[in-house]
PDB file of all heavy atoms in Angstrom:
ATOM      1  N   GLY A   1       0.843  -1.171   0.005  1.00 93.00           N
ATOM      2  CA  GLY A   1       0.034  -0.001   0.016  1.00 93.00           C
ATOM      3  C   GLY A   1       0.886   1.248  -0.016  1.00 93.00           C
ATOM      4  O   GLY A   1       2.051   1.198  -0.049  1.00 93.00           O
ATOM      5  N   THR A   2       0.185   2.394   0.029  1.00 94.00           N
ATOM      6  CA  THR A   2       0.899   3.656   0.037  1.00 94.00           C
ATOM      7  C   THR A   2       1.267   4.033   1.447  1.00 94.00           C
ATOM      8  O   THR A   2       0.467   4.111   2.379  1.00 94.00           O
ATOM      9  CB  THR A   2      -0.022   4.742  -0.495  1.00 94.00           C
ATOM     10  OG1 THR A   2      -0.389   4.369  -1.805  1.00 94.00           O
ATOM     11  CG2 THR A   2       0.727   6.067  -0.559  1.00 94.00           C
ATOM     12  N   THR A   3       2.585   4.199   1.715  1.00 95.00           N
ATOM     13  CA  THR A   3       3.118   4.579   3.038  1.00 95.00           C
ATOM     14  C   THR A   3       2.732   6.038   3.398  1.00 95.00           C
ATOM     15  O   THR A   3       2.299   6.803   2.491  1.00 95.00           O
ATOM     16  CB  THR A   3       4.582   4.325   3.114  1.00 95.00           C
ATOM     17  OG1 THR A   3       5.243   5.358   2.304  1.00 95.00           O
ATOM     18  CG2 THR A   3       5.045   2.945   2.740  1.00 95.00           C
ATOM     19  N   ASP A   4       3.145   6.427   4.514  1.00 94.00           N
ATOM     20  CA  ASP A   4       3.018   7.885   4.888  1.00 94.00           C
ATOM     21  C   ASP A   4       4.036   8.734   4.223  1.00 94.00           C
ATOM     22  O   ASP A   4       3.923   9.984   4.286  1.00 94.00           O
ATOM     23  CB  ASP A   4       2.990   8.064   6.417  1.00 94.00           C
ATOM     24  CG  ASP A   4       1.744   7.528   7.075  1.00 94.00           C
ATOM     25  OD1 ASP A   4       0.667   7.633   6.422  1.00 94.00           O
ATOM     26  OD2 ASP A   4       1.774   7.035   8.244  1.00 94.00           O
ATOM     27  N   PHE A   5       4.952   8.143   3.483  1.00 94.00           N
ATOM     28  CA  PHE A   5       5.872   8.933   2.700  1.00 94.00           C
ATOM     29  C   PHE A   5       5.173   9.257   1.286  1.00 94.00           C
ATOM     30  O   PHE A   5       5.649  10.101   0.479  1.00 94.00           O
ATOM     31  CB  PHE A   5       7.125   8.131   2.279  1.00 94.00           C
ATOM     32  CG  PHE A   5       8.046   7.873   3.424  1.00 94.00           C
ATOM     33  CD1 PHE A   5       8.140   6.626   4.002  1.00 94.00           C
ATOM     34  CD2 PHE A   5       8.788   8.903   3.929  1.00 94.00           C
ATOM     35  CE1 PHE A   5       9.063   6.394   5.064  1.00 94.00           C
ATOM     36  CE2 PHE A   5       9.687   8.706   5.003  1.00 94.00           C
ATOM     37  CZ  PHE A   5       9.814   7.416   5.563  1.00 94.00           C
ATOM     38  N   GLY A   6       4.017   8.621   1.040  1.00 94.00           N
ATOM     39  CA  GLY A   6       3.227   8.866  -0.193  1.00 94.00           C
ATOM     40  C   GLY A   6       3.588   7.924  -1.275  1.00 94.00           C
ATOM     41  O   GLY A   6       3.186   8.107  -2.437  1.00 94.00           O
ATOM     42  N   THR A   7       4.397   6.889  -1.049  1.00 94.00           N
ATOM     43  CA  THR A   7       4.819   5.936  -2.056  1.00 94.00           C
ATOM     44  C   THR A   7       4.730   4.513  -1.554  1.00 94.00           C
ATOM     45  O   THR A   7       4.541   4.295  -0.313  1.00 94.00           O
ATOM     46  CB  THR A   7       6.245   6.166  -2.447  1.00 94.00           C
ATOM     47  OG1 THR A   7       7.099   6.040  -1.303  1.00 94.00           O
ATOM     48  CG2 THR A   7       6.484   7.567  -3.051  1.00 94.00           C
ATOM     49  N   ALA A   8       4.821   3.581  -2.426  1.00 94.00           N
ATOM     50  CA  ALA A   8       4.933   2.141  -2.031  1.00 94.00           C
ATOM     51  C   ALA A   8       6.389   1.807  -1.705  1.00 94.00           C
ATOM     52  O   ALA A   8       7.301   2.551  -2.107  1.00 94.00           O
ATOM     53  CB  ALA A   8       4.472   1.248  -3.149  1.00 94.00           C
ATOM     54  N   GLY A   9       6.664   0.756  -1.004  1.00 95.00           N
ATOM     55  CA  GLY A   9       7.946   0.313  -0.655  1.00 95.00           C
ATOM     56  C   GLY A   9       8.351   0.739   0.705  1.00 95.00           C
ATOM     57  O   GLY A   9       7.750   1.578   1.397  1.00 95.00           O
ATOM     58  N   TYR A  10       9.388   0.032   1.267  1.00 95.00           N
ATOM     59  CA  TYR A  10       9.891   0.265   2.599  1.00 95.00           C
ATOM     60  C   TYR A  10      10.658   1.533   2.667  1.00 95.00           C
ATOM     61  O   TYR A  10      11.633   1.747   1.940  1.00 95.00           O
ATOM     62  CB  TYR A  10      10.701  -0.964   3.067  1.00 95.00           C
ATOM     63  CG  TYR A  10      11.300  -0.774   4.437  1.00 95.00           C
ATOM     64  CD1 TYR A  10      10.460  -0.591   5.576  1.00 95.00           C
ATOM     65  CD2 TYR A  10      12.670  -0.789   4.634  1.00 95.00           C
ATOM     66  CE1 TYR A  10      11.044  -0.445   6.853  1.00 95.00           C
ATOM     67  CE2 TYR A  10      13.173  -0.665   5.898  1.00 95.00           C
ATOM     68  CZ  TYR A  10      12.385  -0.481   6.994  1.00 95.00           C
ATOM     69  OH  TYR A  10      12.916  -0.355   8.277  1.00 95.00           O
ATOM     70  N   GLY A  11      10.252   2.475   3.584  1.00 94.00           N
ATOM     71  CA  GLY A  11      10.934   3.777   3.688  1.00 94.00           C
ATOM     72  C   GLY A  11      12.041   3.810   4.636  1.00 94.00           C
ATOM     73  O   GLY A  11      12.876   4.686   4.588  1.00 94.00           O
ATOM     74  N   GLY A  12      12.145   2.874   5.484  1.00 92.00           N
ATOM     75  CA  GLY A  12      13.314   2.771   6.423  1.00 92.00           C
ATOM     76  C   GLY A  12      13.348   3.868   7.457  1.00 92.00           C
ATOM     77  O   GLY A  12      12.745   4.931   7.269  1.00 92.00           O
ATOM     78  N   PRO A  13      14.015   3.624   8.565  1.00 93.00           N
ATOM     79  CA  PRO A  13      14.147   4.627   9.605  1.00 93.00           C
ATOM     80  C   PRO A  13      15.133   5.707   9.183  1.00 93.00           C
ATOM     81  O   PRO A  13      16.127   5.499   8.500  1.00 93.00           O
ATOM     82  CB  PRO A  13      14.685   3.826  10.810  1.00 93.00           C
ATOM     83  CG  PRO A  13      15.425   2.701  10.144  1.00 93.00           C
ATOM     84  CD  PRO A  13      14.723   2.388   8.934  1.00 93.00           C
ATOM     85  N   CYS A  14      14.848   6.921   9.606  1.00 90.00           N
ATOM     86  CA  CYS A  14      15.724   8.014   9.299  1.00 90.00           C
ATOM     87  C   CYS A  14      15.488   9.252  10.243  1.00 90.00           C
ATOM     88  O   CYS A  14      15.073  10.330   9.836  1.00 90.00           O
ATOM     89  CB  CYS A  14      15.533   8.446   7.869  1.00 90.00           C
ATOM     90  SG  CYS A  14      16.800   9.624   7.268  1.00 90.00           S
ATOM     91  N   PRO A  15      15.745   9.012  11.523  1.00 94.00           N
ATOM     92  CA  PRO A  15      15.548  10.098  12.479  1.00 94.00           C
ATOM     93  C   PRO A  15      16.571  11.216  12.219  1.00 94.00           C
ATOM     94  O   PRO A  15      17.647  10.939  11.645  1.00 94.00           O
ATOM     95  CB  PRO A  15      15.820   9.436  13.833  1.00 94.00           C
ATOM     96  CG  PRO A  15      16.666   8.236  13.563  1.00 94.00           C
ATOM     97  CD  PRO A  15      16.257   7.766  12.183  1.00 94.00           C
ATOM     98  N   PRO A  16      16.288  12.427  12.615  1.00 94.00           N
ATOM     99  CA  PRO A  16      17.226  13.515  12.412  1.00 94.00           C
ATOM    100  C   PRO A  16      18.528  13.244  13.110  1.00 94.00           C
ATOM    101  O   PRO A  16      18.581  12.638  14.235  1.00 94.00           O
ATOM    102  CB  PRO A  16      16.517  14.709  13.056  1.00 94.00           C
ATOM    103  CG  PRO A  16      15.085  14.298  13.095  1.00 94.00           C
ATOM    104  CD  PRO A  16      15.025  12.879  13.230  1.00 94.00           C
ATOM    105  N   VAL A  17      19.681  13.643  12.521  1.00 95.00           N
ATOM    106  CA  VAL A  17      20.958  13.507  13.115  1.00 95.00           C
ATOM    107  C   VAL A  17      20.994  14.214  14.427  1.00 95.00           C
ATOM    108  O   VAL A  17      20.552  15.374  14.544  1.00 95.00           O
ATOM    109  CB  VAL A  17      22.061  14.087  12.154  1.00 95.00           C
ATOM    110  CG1 VAL A  17      23.430  14.022  12.829  1.00 95.00           C
ATOM    111  CG2 VAL A  17      22.109  13.244  10.827  1.00 95.00           C
ATOM    112  N   GLY A  18      21.528  13.561  15.445  1.00 94.00           N
ATOM    113  CA  GLY A  18      21.654  14.130  16.804  1.00 94.00           C
ATOM    114  C   GLY A  18      20.398  14.005  17.644  1.00 94.00           C
ATOM    115  O   GLY A  18      20.474  14.251  18.872  1.00 94.00           O
ATOM    116  N   ASP A  19      19.265  13.635  17.058  1.00 96.00           N
ATOM    117  CA  ASP A  19      18.028  13.406  17.851  1.00 96.00           C
ATOM    118  C   ASP A  19      18.187  12.122  18.608  1.00 96.00           C
ATOM    119  O   ASP A  19      18.954  11.202  18.305  1.00 96.00           O
ATOM    120  CB  ASP A  19      16.908  13.292  16.908  1.00 96.00           C
ATOM    121  CG  ASP A  19      15.541  13.735  17.514  1.00 96.00           C
ATOM    122  OD1 ASP A  19      15.552  14.238  18.636  1.00 96.00           O
ATOM    123  OD2 ASP A  19      14.464  13.610  16.856  1.00 96.00           O
ATOM    124  N   ARG A  20      17.420  12.024  19.750  1.00 96.00           N
ATOM    125  CA  ARG A  20      17.442  10.767  20.457  1.00 96.00           C
ATOM    126  C   ARG A  20      16.965   9.687  19.549  1.00 96.00           C
ATOM    127  O   ARG A  20      16.156   9.914  18.612  1.00 96.00           O
ATOM    128  CB  ARG A  20      16.504  10.875  21.689  1.00 96.00           C
ATOM    129  CG  ARG A  20      17.056  11.767  22.704  1.00 96.00           C
ATOM    130  CD  ARG A  20      16.162  11.751  23.999  1.00 96.00           C
ATOM    131  NE  ARG A  20      14.774  12.093  23.662  1.00 96.00           N
ATOM    132  CZ  ARG A  20      13.792  12.091  24.534  1.00 96.00           C
ATOM    133  NH1 ARG A  20      13.950  11.688  25.732  1.00 96.00           N
ATOM    134  NH2 ARG A  20      12.592  12.463  24.133  1.00 96.00           N
ATOM    135  N   PRO A  21      17.283   8.420  19.784  1.00 97.00           N
ATOM    136  CA  PRO A  21      16.867   7.300  18.892  1.00 97.00           C
ATOM    137  C   PRO A  21      15.310   7.262  18.916  1.00 97.00           C
ATOM    138  O   PRO A  21      14.655   7.506  19.933  1.00 97.00           O
ATOM    139  CB  PRO A  21      17.420   6.009  19.591  1.00 97.00           C
ATOM    140  CG  PRO A  21      18.664   6.546  20.287  1.00 97.00           C
ATOM    141  CD  PRO A  21      18.279   7.955  20.750  1.00 97.00           C
ATOM    142  N   HIS A  22      14.765   7.041  17.736  1.00 96.00           N
ATOM    143  CA  HIS A  22      13.308   6.937  17.575  1.00 96.00           C
ATOM    144  C   HIS A  22      12.885   5.462  17.694  1.00 96.00           C
ATOM    145  O   HIS A  22      13.645   4.549  17.369  1.00 96.00           O
ATOM    146  CB  HIS A  22      12.894   7.480  16.207  1.00 96.00           C
ATOM    147  CG  HIS A  22      13.015   8.917  16.104  1.00 96.00           C
ATOM    148  ND1 HIS A  22      12.389   9.564  15.066  1.00 96.00           N
ATOM    149  CD2 HIS A  22      13.702   9.819  16.802  1.00 96.00           C
ATOM    150  CE1 HIS A  22      12.666  10.866  15.147  1.00 96.00           C
ATOM    151  NE2 HIS A  22      13.426  11.055  16.213  1.00 96.00           N
ATOM    152  N   ARG A  23      11.604   5.252  18.137  1.00 96.00           N
ATOM    153  CA  ARG A  23      11.113   3.905  18.249  1.00 96.00           C
ATOM    154  C   ARG A  23      10.433   3.501  16.873  1.00 96.00           C
ATOM    155  O   ARG A  23       9.708   4.374  16.279  1.00 96.00           O
ATOM    156  CB  ARG A  23      10.034   3.869  19.314  1.00 96.00           C
ATOM    157  CG  ARG A  23      10.542   4.068  20.674  1.00 96.00           C
ATOM    158  CD  ARG A  23       9.431   4.014  21.758  1.00 96.00           C
ATOM    159  NE  ARG A  23       8.263   4.821  21.376  1.00 96.00           N
ATOM    160  CZ  ARG A  23       7.018   4.364  21.162  1.00 96.00           C
ATOM    161  NH1 ARG A  23       6.751   3.115  21.268  1.00 96.00           N
ATOM    162  NH2 ARG A  23       6.034   5.166  20.869  1.00 96.00           N
ATOM    163  N   TYR A  24      10.622   2.309  16.431  1.00 96.00           N
ATOM    164  CA  TYR A  24       9.972   1.763  15.246  1.00 96.00           C
ATOM    165  C   TYR A  24       9.393   0.439  15.629  1.00 96.00           C
ATOM    166  O   TYR A  24      10.019  -0.409  16.138  1.00 96.00           O
ATOM    167  CB  TYR A  24      11.008   1.599  14.133  1.00 96.00           C
ATOM    168  CG  TYR A  24      11.657   2.887  13.701  1.00 96.00           C
ATOM    169  CD1 TYR A  24      12.681   3.459  14.329  1.00 96.00           C
ATOM    170  CD2 TYR A  24      11.031   3.656  12.650  1.00 96.00           C
ATOM    171  CE1 TYR A  24      13.235   4.722  13.991  1.00 96.00           C
ATOM    172  CE2 TYR A  24      11.531   4.876  12.281  1.00 96.00           C
ATOM    173  CZ  TYR A  24      12.652   5.415  12.929  1.00 96.00           C
ATOM    174  OH  TYR A  24      13.100   6.601  12.559  1.00 96.00           O
ATOM    175  N   VAL A  25       8.027   0.337  15.410  1.00 96.00           N
ATOM    176  CA  VAL A  25       7.355  -0.842  15.748  1.00 96.00           C
ATOM    177  C   VAL A  25       7.042  -1.658  14.515  1.00 96.00           C
ATOM    178  O   VAL A  25       6.472  -1.150  13.526  1.00 96.00           O
ATOM    179  CB  VAL A  25       5.975  -0.458  16.459  1.00 96.00           C
ATOM    180  CG1 VAL A  25       5.189  -1.720  16.872  1.00 96.00           C
ATOM    181  CG2 VAL A  25       6.261   0.432  17.652  1.00 96.00           C
ATOM    182  N   PHE A  26       7.423  -2.885  14.549  1.00 95.00           N
ATOM    183  CA  PHE A  26       7.173  -3.841  13.411  1.00 95.00           C
ATOM    184  C   PHE A  26       6.052  -4.820  13.859  1.00 95.00           C
ATOM    185  O   PHE A  26       6.214  -5.393  14.966  1.00 95.00           O
ATOM    186  CB  PHE A  26       8.441  -4.647  13.120  1.00 95.00           C
ATOM    187  CG  PHE A  26       9.563  -3.758  12.643  1.00 95.00           C
ATOM    188  CD1 PHE A  26      10.358  -3.029  13.561  1.00 95.00           C
ATOM    189  CD2 PHE A  26       9.886  -3.608  11.285  1.00 95.00           C
ATOM    190  CE1 PHE A  26      11.410  -2.242  13.117  1.00 95.00           C
ATOM    191  CE2 PHE A  26      10.950  -2.855  10.882  1.00 95.00           C
ATOM    192  CZ  PHE A  26      11.667  -2.080  11.826  1.00 95.00           C
ATOM    193  N   THR A  27       4.997  -4.969  13.112  1.00 96.00           N
ATOM    194  CA  THR A  27       3.843  -5.762  13.496  1.00 96.00           C
ATOM    195  C   THR A  27       3.482  -6.655  12.362  1.00 96.00           C
ATOM    196  O   THR A  27       3.411  -6.240  11.200  1.00 96.00           O
ATOM    197  CB  THR A  27       2.700  -4.886  13.882  1.00 96.00           C
ATOM    198  OG1 THR A  27       3.127  -3.992  14.900  1.00 96.00           O
ATOM    199  CG2 THR A  27       1.538  -5.722  14.415  1.00 96.00           C
ATOM    200  N   VAL A  28       3.136  -7.908  12.693  1.00 95.00           N
ATOM    201  CA  VAL A  28       2.547  -8.820  11.675  1.00 95.00           C
ATOM    202  C   VAL A  28       1.217  -9.216  12.209  1.00 95.00           C
ATOM    203  O   VAL A  28       1.083  -9.379  13.479  1.00 95.00           O
ATOM    204  CB  VAL A  28       3.507 -10.061  11.453  1.00 95.00           C
ATOM    205  CG1 VAL A  28       3.711 -10.844  12.780  1.00 95.00           C
ATOM    206  CG2 VAL A  28       2.979 -10.961  10.352  1.00 95.00           C
ATOM    207  N   HIS A  29       0.235  -9.379  11.331  1.00 96.00           N
ATOM    208  CA  HIS A  29      -1.096  -9.667  11.749  1.00 96.00           C
ATOM    209  C   HIS A  29      -1.608 -10.992  11.116  1.00 96.00           C
ATOM    210  O   HIS A  29      -1.292 -11.275   9.987  1.00 96.00           O
ATOM    211  CB  HIS A  29      -2.108  -8.567  11.201  1.00 96.00           C
ATOM    212  CG  HIS A  29      -1.722  -7.191  11.751  1.00 96.00           C
ATOM    213  ND1 HIS A  29      -2.197  -6.654  12.852  1.00 96.00           N
ATOM    214  CD2 HIS A  29      -0.909  -6.213  11.198  1.00 96.00           C
ATOM    215  CE1 HIS A  29      -1.761  -5.431  13.045  1.00 96.00           C
ATOM    216  NE2 HIS A  29      -0.965  -5.183  12.049  1.00 96.00           N
ATOM    217  N   ALA A  30      -2.352 -11.763  11.942  1.00 96.00           N
ATOM    218  CA  ALA A  30      -2.994 -12.972  11.414  1.00 96.00           C
ATOM    219  C   ALA A  30      -4.452 -12.528  11.254  1.00 96.00           C
ATOM    220  O   ALA A  30      -5.048 -11.994  12.158  1.00 96.00           O
ATOM    221  CB  ALA A  30      -2.921 -14.141  12.415  1.00 96.00           C
ATOM    222  N   LEU A  31      -4.999 -12.799  10.076  1.00 97.00           N
ATOM    223  CA  LEU A  31      -6.385 -12.363   9.765  1.00 97.00           C
ATOM    224  C   LEU A  31      -7.369 -13.494   9.648  1.00 97.00           C
ATOM    225  O   LEU A  31      -6.938 -14.620   9.343  1.00 97.00           O
ATOM    226  CB  LEU A  31      -6.366 -11.529   8.471  1.00 97.00           C
ATOM    227  CG  LEU A  31      -5.412 -10.316   8.361  1.00 97.00           C
ATOM    228  CD1 LEU A  31      -5.580  -9.613   7.064  1.00 97.00           C
ATOM    229  CD2 LEU A  31      -5.639  -9.376   9.504  1.00 97.00           C
ATOM    230  N   LYS A  32      -8.606 -13.129   9.841  1.00 97.00           N
ATOM    231  CA  LYS A  32      -9.695 -14.182   9.706  1.00 97.00           C
ATOM    232  C   LYS A  32     -10.149 -14.308   8.218  1.00 97.00           C
ATOM    233  O   LYS A  32     -11.037 -15.118   7.974  1.00 97.00           O
ATOM    234  CB  LYS A  32     -10.828 -13.824  10.622  1.00 97.00           C
ATOM    235  CG  LYS A  32     -11.504 -12.515  10.341  1.00 97.00           C
ATOM    236  CD  LYS A  32     -12.566 -12.203  11.358  1.00 97.00           C
ATOM    237  CE  LYS A  32     -13.097 -10.782  11.228  1.00 97.00           C
ATOM    238  NZ  LYS A  32     -14.039 -10.379  12.279  1.00 97.00           N
ATOM    239  N   VAL A  33      -9.568 -13.558   7.367  1.00 97.00           N
ATOM    240  CA  VAL A  33      -9.871 -13.659   5.881  1.00 97.00           C
ATOM    241  C   VAL A  33      -8.575 -13.995   5.229  1.00 97.00           C
ATOM    242  O   VAL A  33      -7.457 -13.674   5.684  1.00 97.00           O
ATOM    243  CB  VAL A  33     -10.438 -12.360   5.370  1.00 97.00           C
ATOM    244  CG1 VAL A  33     -11.816 -12.050   5.973  1.00 97.00           C
ATOM    245  CG2 VAL A  33      -9.523 -11.159   5.570  1.00 97.00           C
ATOM    246  N   GLU A  34      -8.711 -14.647   4.053  1.00 94.00           N
ATOM    247  CA  GLU A  34      -7.487 -15.046   3.295  1.00 94.00           C
ATOM    248  C   GLU A  34      -6.791 -13.871   2.679  1.00 94.00           C
ATOM    249  O   GLU A  34      -5.522 -13.851   2.621  1.00 94.00           O
ATOM    250  CB  GLU A  34      -7.872 -16.087   2.179  1.00 94.00           C
ATOM    251  CG  GLU A  34      -6.650 -16.648   1.533  1.00 94.00           C
ATOM    252  CD  GLU A  34      -7.032 -17.871   0.673  1.00 94.00           C
ATOM    253  OE1 GLU A  34      -7.924 -18.582   1.025  1.00 94.00           O
ATOM    254  OE2 GLU A  34      -6.321 -18.019  -0.357  1.00 94.00           O
ATOM    255  N   ARG A  35      -7.538 -12.869   2.312  1.00 96.00           N
ATOM    256  CA  ARG A  35      -6.942 -11.672   1.701  1.00 96.00           C
ATOM    257  C   ARG A  35      -7.814 -10.490   1.942  1.00 96.00           C
ATOM    258  O   ARG A  35      -9.001 -10.559   2.170  1.00 96.00           O
ATOM    259  CB  ARG A  35      -6.685 -11.859   0.232  1.00 96.00           C
ATOM    260  CG  ARG A  35      -7.913 -12.134  -0.629  1.00 96.00           C
ATOM    261  CD  ARG A  35      -7.689 -12.422  -2.098  1.00 96.00           C
ATOM    262  NE  ARG A  35      -6.789 -11.445  -2.707  1.00 96.00           N
ATOM    263  CZ  ARG A  35      -7.119 -10.295  -3.252  1.00 96.00           C
ATOM    264  NH1 ARG A  35      -8.423  -9.919  -3.224  1.00 96.00           N
ATOM    265  NH2 ARG A  35      -6.254  -9.513  -3.855  1.00 96.00           N
ATOM    266  N   LEU A  36      -7.207  -9.315   1.919  1.00 97.00           N
ATOM    267  CA  LEU A  36      -7.942  -8.031   1.958  1.00 97.00           C
ATOM    268  C   LEU A  36      -8.153  -7.566   0.558  1.00 97.00           C
ATOM    269  O   LEU A  36      -7.225  -7.482  -0.252  1.00 97.00           O
ATOM    270  CB  LEU A  36      -7.141  -6.957   2.767  1.00 97.00           C
ATOM    271  CG  LEU A  36      -6.908  -7.287   4.231  1.00 97.00           C
ATOM    272  CD1 LEU A  36      -5.998  -6.169   4.798  1.00 97.00           C
ATOM    273  CD2 LEU A  36      -8.181  -7.370   4.973  1.00 97.00           C
ATOM    274  N   ASP A  37      -9.400  -7.271   0.169  1.00 96.00           N
ATOM    275  CA  ASP A  37      -9.773  -6.850  -1.160  1.00 96.00           C
ATOM    276  C   ASP A  37      -9.720  -5.370  -1.249  1.00 96.00           C
ATOM    277  O   ASP A  37     -10.691  -4.682  -1.062  1.00 96.00           O
ATOM    278  CB  ASP A  37     -11.119  -7.401  -1.527  1.00 96.00           C
ATOM    279  CG  ASP A  37     -11.456  -7.162  -3.043  1.00 96.00           C
ATOM    280  OD1 ASP A  37     -10.551  -7.022  -3.821  1.00 96.00           O
ATOM    281  OD2 ASP A  37     -12.636  -7.153  -3.365  1.00 96.00           O
ATOM    282  N   LEU A  38      -8.471  -4.845  -1.304  1.00 96.00           N
ATOM    283  CA  LEU A  38      -8.248  -3.396  -1.326  1.00 96.00           C
ATOM    284  C   LEU A  38      -7.527  -2.990  -2.583  1.00 96.00           C
ATOM    285  O   LEU A  38      -6.744  -3.747  -3.159  1.00 96.00           O
ATOM    286  CB  LEU A  38      -7.372  -2.979  -0.087  1.00 96.00           C
ATOM    287  CG  LEU A  38      -7.940  -3.435   1.289  1.00 96.00           C
ATOM    288  CD1 LEU A  38      -6.856  -3.084   2.343  1.00 96.00           C
ATOM    289  CD2 LEU A  38      -9.233  -2.732   1.532  1.00 96.00           C
ATOM    290  N   PRO A  39      -7.694  -1.749  -2.997  1.00 90.00           N
ATOM    291  CA  PRO A  39      -6.959  -1.237  -4.176  1.00 90.00           C
ATOM    292  C   PRO A  39      -5.399  -1.219  -3.865  1.00 90.00           C
ATOM    293  O   PRO A  39      -5.027  -0.967  -2.725  1.00 90.00           O
ATOM    294  CB  PRO A  39      -7.480   0.115  -4.448  1.00 90.00           C
ATOM    295  CG  PRO A  39      -8.132   0.519  -3.166  1.00 90.00           C
ATOM    296  CD  PRO A  39      -8.507  -0.687  -2.432  1.00 90.00           C
TER     297      PRO A  39
END
């Protein structure tokens, strides 16, 4: 899908130089449907 960067694909972490480390949460979901019928 479209990320919050406005594109598809993995955007990777990129906190500002010198900023405290940022948290990145990776989540995998098990669904009750075989697929999501989304554009």
Side-chain angles (χ1 to χ4, degrees):
T2 303
T3 67
D4 287 329
F5 291 108
T7 60
Y10 178 59
C14 191
V17 174
D19 206 6
R20 290 187 303 175
H22 289 197
R23 294 179 312 118
Y24 295 87
V25 180
F26 297 81
T27 304
V28 62
H29 303 269
L31 305 181
K32 60 186 174 186
V33 294
E34 188 167 327
R35 62 184 311 276
L36 296 176
D37 190 22
L38 305 175

